Amino acid sequence: MRSDRGQSAPLGLKIAAACGLLFLHLPILLIFVYAFTTEEKSFVWPPPGLTTQWFAVTWNRPDVWQALSLSIRVAAISTAIALVLGTLCAAAVSRTRFFGRETISLLVILPIALPGIITGIALRSAFALADIPFSFWTIVLGHATFCVVVVYNNAVARFRRTSGSMIEASMDLGADGFQTFRHVVLPNIATALLAGGMLAFALSFDEVIVTTFTAGQQQTVPIWMLEELIRPRQRPVTNVVAMVVVLVTLLPILLAYYLTRDGDQIAGSGK
Amino acid sequence: MTIAALNSNSPPAILPGSGGLRGALSDLFWRRPKLLLLLMLLPPVLWLGIVYIGSLFALLLQSFFSIDEFSGLINREFTLKTYGDLLQAANLDIILRTVTMAALVTLASAVIAFPIAYYAARYARGRWKALFYLGVMLPLWSSYLVKIYAWKLILAKEGILTWLLAKLNLLWLLDAWLSLPIVGGNSLSVSFTGTFIVFVYVWLPFMILPVQAALERVPGNLVEASSDLGASPGQTFRNVLFPLALPGIVAGSIFTFSLTLGDYIIPQIIGTSRLFIGQAVYSQQGTAGNIPLAAAFTVVPIVIMGFYLWGAKRMGAFDAL
């Protein structure tokens, strides 16, 4: 009998899976090496020498700090808006069945399902038609729109697991709607919201396609990087920023994973 | 209130309302759940409806305007002239090139994703399962531009790939590949091959997740039964695994296909000067100032994805999402 589940995989499959994972990870690791290279003008491999001086140079660059500050502010506000809208939508869709329920789900998913360039150019032409000048808020408007879906996905998954009888029990015991929300619903969905919020933050922090259409002259970190990729000024600084961006986005994703890992492994499905 | 006041010596059977505006609101929502539902739905629907659908609609509307070729002003009269421009040979070339690239990227992603998804779904347990999950999630969520930048480093002429091939004495292979028409070029970072590799790399996680979800649902004893009945591993794959994984592959292909259709940054940074749909949209609305043609161009991926989603739905791909 060899029908036990513990049997090991065929060698070919193991090698193919391992190669696939290496293919996914090695390029990102390479960034870490390049952040320390002494070479300024080209991407030569292997690095002629290693140095940490570029960290100091990057630290003293005001344009990098400005971009970082803008990115963090945009991501924070967009995440806050997305948390409110996503949770409301998830609560409505999961607790009742009503006419047009499927349409609402589609509406939430659409901004991420259609290519980003469509969202971007649609927003830009709408701003132009309505004579809205580019500002901090035009960036937020775009980001919040596609961040709703990650909060929504996480919250819907959690609502599905939260039994409705708990809410009824709370009401039966005399709590009013607000108390029930505060003491029963919120503690149940808190970690899902936190995870959704982190992913929304990471998504907004990293977004470039829609932002190029809604930012005007302002620079977020991804716009700054894109500029450097097209017209390189100081390559080592770009290397350092790239490494920092990898680290900064890594943390919320790991946290989001640990917050949602028991049961619903849905945190990031459908970025 | 009144009940509690009347029987002050025995505990009330029904608790008093909490009173005040909060209590009144709470009671109102309890009595009229539809009102609560409406209030919950209103903010997100208004936001998405006005900001998103509104803008999309405005964009589609503009595709029926046309541009005056002499003054460069936009003529706001209903016409199909812009769609006629879309059918010029140069623009058809762009569309064909993008769709071919999207199809090839989807195919390659499926081939690379399958072993990872299959191993993760069938053999990885406990710790390894978590490792595989994070191993796919981390690249999926890491910065899109950093990933492209990493490949610029790898594919550069002086970069690690050339160095590695030189060490392995395989430089002649690279040179031979680069001298081929269409896929070749001066170096990998300015060739369609480079564009293709980066597309596959960036969208691969989007393929792995749904394929893995589909494979998780294939009972292990089905595969065992197939081999018990004498099928070779290849036959089992063709006749049992692949058909059952197909909805997952189609679901993943929605992402890889749609994302490739709309991307304009990857071919701009790693690729030739020949345009893709996304780049055409970008340059039409930017430097050329031809918003109607840009809008008409965006209709192409929307229509293609519409048909794609319709076909995918018929194949049951949405159950695998």
Side-chain angles (χ1 to χ4, degrees):
Chain A
M1 295 293 271
R2 43 183 295 265
S3 60
D4 53 323
R5 302 282 284 152
Q7 59 179 293
S8 71
L11 188 65
L13 180 64
K14 272 185 187 164
I15 293 173
C19 285
L21 281 187
L22 283 179
F23 173 64
L24 279 174
H25 287 269
L26 284 183
I28 299 176
L29 291 178
L30 197 67
I31 293 278
F32 285 73
V33 181
Y34 269 97
F36 294 94
T37 181
T38 48
E39 171 67 36
E40 275 186 62
K41 293 278 176 279
S42 73
F43 299 130
V44 68
W45 182 272
L50 297 176
T51 171
T52 51
Q53 61 160 331
W54 302 117
F55 288 85
V57 173
T58 311
W59 187 268
N60 292 319
R61 283 278 291 267
D63 55 334
V64 174
W65 284 108
Q66 272 165 14
L68 189 66
S69 139
L70 180 64
S71 273
I72 289 176
R73 279 182 295 141
V74 167
I77 307 261
S78 311
T79 304
I81 297 175
L83 272 175
V84 174
L85 297 180
T87 314
L88 283 174
C89 214
V93 165
S94 54
R95 48 178 277 158
T96 29
R97 314 206 157 263
F98 54 90
F99 179 73
R101 192 162 160 268
E102 301 284 310
T103 319
I104 302 272
S105 309
L106 184 69
L107 186 66
V108 173
I109 293 167
L110 207 59
I112 218 101
L114 285 181
I117 193 164
I118 296 177
T119 312
I121 189 175
L123 284 172
R124 186 188 197 125
S125 64
F127 293 151
L129 283 180
D131 270 330
I132 302 172
F134 293 119
S135 71
F136 173 77
W137 293 104
T138 52
I139 309 182
V140 169
L141 213 62
H143 281 205
T145 305
F146 57 72
C147 282
V148 172
V149 64
V150 272
V151 177
Y152 172 83
N153 273 353
N154 274 282
V156 154
R158 185 60 61 86
F159 274 123
R160 216 177 276 148
R161 287 199 302 146
T162 309
S163 151
S165 55
M166 289 205 342
I167 295 169
E168 283 163 18
S170 159
M171 298 287 219
D172 286 350
L173 291 170
D176 69 25
F178 296 97
Q179 286 169 323
T180 304
F181 178 75
R182 165 77 187 76
H183 296 289
V184 178
V185 178
L186 202 57
N188 262 306
I189 61 169
T191 49
L193 291 190
L194 197 58
M198 299 231 173
L199 294 175
F201 191 94
L203 186 57
S204 163
F205 190 81
D206 182 42
E207 216 295 327
V208 61
I209 295 193
V210 176
T211 320
T212 48
F213 290 96
T214 58
Q217 298 300 315
Q218 311 163 83
Q219 281 198 327
T220 60
V221 172
I223 301 266
W224 182 90
M225 274 210 66
L226 182 62
E227 199 75 4
E228 291 291 313
L229 282 180
I230 296 168
R231 282 177 288 277
R233 280 176 296 177
Q234 209 173 5
R235 280 176 175 163
V237 175
T238 317
N239 294 337
V240 172
V241 172
M243 191 189 100
V244 173
V245 166
V246 169
L247 290 177
V248 167
T249 39
L250 199 72
L251 287 177
I253 293 149
L254 283 177
L255 267 174
Y257 168 69
Y258 282 108
L259 288 170
T260 52
R261 67 181 160 162
D262 2 288
D264 51 6
Q265 294 205 334
I266 198 156
S269 54
K271 179 179 176 178
Chain B
M1 286 291 219
T2 47
I3 300 172
L6 285 174
N7 314 319
S8 52
N9 50 354
S10 63
I14 299 174
L15 285 174
S18 50
L21 181 63
R22 210 180 83 155
L25 264 180
S26 174
D27 293 348
L28 181 67
F29 288 153
W30 175 249
R31 256 180 257 120
R32 298 177 180 273
K34 286 236 169 85
L35 185 71
L36 178 61
L37 184 69
L38 188 73
L39 281 179
M40 285 201 297
L41 278 176
L42 209 57
V45 169
L46 276 184
W47 179 288
L48 289 169
I50 293 176
V51 174
Y52 192 67
I53 302 296
S55 317
L56 264 188
F57 196 71
L59 180 70
L60 288 186
L61 203 65
Q62 293 194 58
S63 69
F64 293 105
F65 295 161
S66 63
I67 193 163
D68 189 310
E69 271 155 35
F70 298 104
S71 62
L73 292 175
I74 286 159
N75 182 6
R76 294 193 173 181
E77 269 172 44
F78 182 86
T79 167
L80 287 174
K81 178 180 163 295
T82 312
Y83 283 97
D85 291 347
L86 196 61
L87 296 177
Q88 286 169 0
N91 292 336
L92 281 181
D93 255 8
I94 293 175
I95 294 169
L96 192 67
R97 181 179 306 134
T98 313
V99 172
T100 313
M101 179 61 90
L104 290 175
V105 167
T106 302
L107 209 63
S109 308
V111 170
I112 301 176
F114 196 87
I116 303 177
Y118 188 51
Y119 191 92
R122 190 162 149 74
Y123 295 103
R125 289 283 168 269
R127 264 223 172 123
W128 280 98
K129 189 120 190 163
L131 193 79
F132 260 89
Y133 182 73
L134 279 178
V136 177
M137 285 319 260
L138 287 181
L140 171 67
W141 283 91
S142 350
S143 167
Y144 163 81
L145 278 175
V146 169
K147 283 186 272 192
I148 301 173
Y149 186 57
W151 278 97
K152 201 172 166 91
L153 300 175
I154 295 170
L155 298 176
K157 226 178 184 141
E158 70 274 18
I160 188 168
L161 195 66
T162 315
W163 173 81
L164 193 70
L165 288 174
K167 288 270 168 190
L168 296 171
N169 286 325
L170 286 173
L171 268 185
W172 56 272
L173 198 67
L174 180 65
D175 289 335
W177 183 262
L178 286 176
S179 64
L180 291 175
I182 303 175
V183 295
N186 272 332
S187 87
L188 276 178
S189 60
V190 290
S191 68
F192 279 139
T193 315
T195 321
F196 169 78
I197 295 173
V198 181
F199 269 135
V200 172
Y201 174 77
V202 174
W203 309 139
L204 183 59
F206 291 93
M207 180 62 97
I208 298 176
L209 290 174
V211 175
Q212 187 184 338
L215 285 171
E216 301 261 8
R217 270 179 255 164
V218 178
N221 54 19
L222 234 59
V223 178
E224 281 153 19
S226 164
S227 53
D228 283 352
L229 292 169
S232 69
Q235 283 174 315
T236 305
F237 173 77
R238 269 196 308 279
N239 299 318
V240 181
L241 267 183
F242 184 72
L244 288 171
L246 196 60
I249 296 174
V250 175
S253 76
I254 294 172
F255 292 106
T256 54
F257 202 83
S258 157
L259 290 166
T260 312
L261 279 187
D263 198 280
Y264 74 95
I265 289 181
I266 292 174
Q268 185 188 0
I269 292 173
I270 294 167
T272 65
S273 54
R274 280 166 289 187
L275 298 180
F276 283 78
I277 291 181
Q279 289 167 292
V281 172
Y282 189 74
S283 65
Q284 288 300 341
Q285 66 85 34
T287 43
N290 191 346
I291 296 270
L293 186 55
F297 252 119
T298 60
V299 172
V300 176
I302 295 180
V303 169
I304 295 177
M305 283 321 293
F307 278 111
Y308 204 98
L309 289 173
W310 177 72
K313 191 164 179 158
R314 289 188 48 142
M315 293 183 72
F318 289 102
D319 306 326
L321 276 176

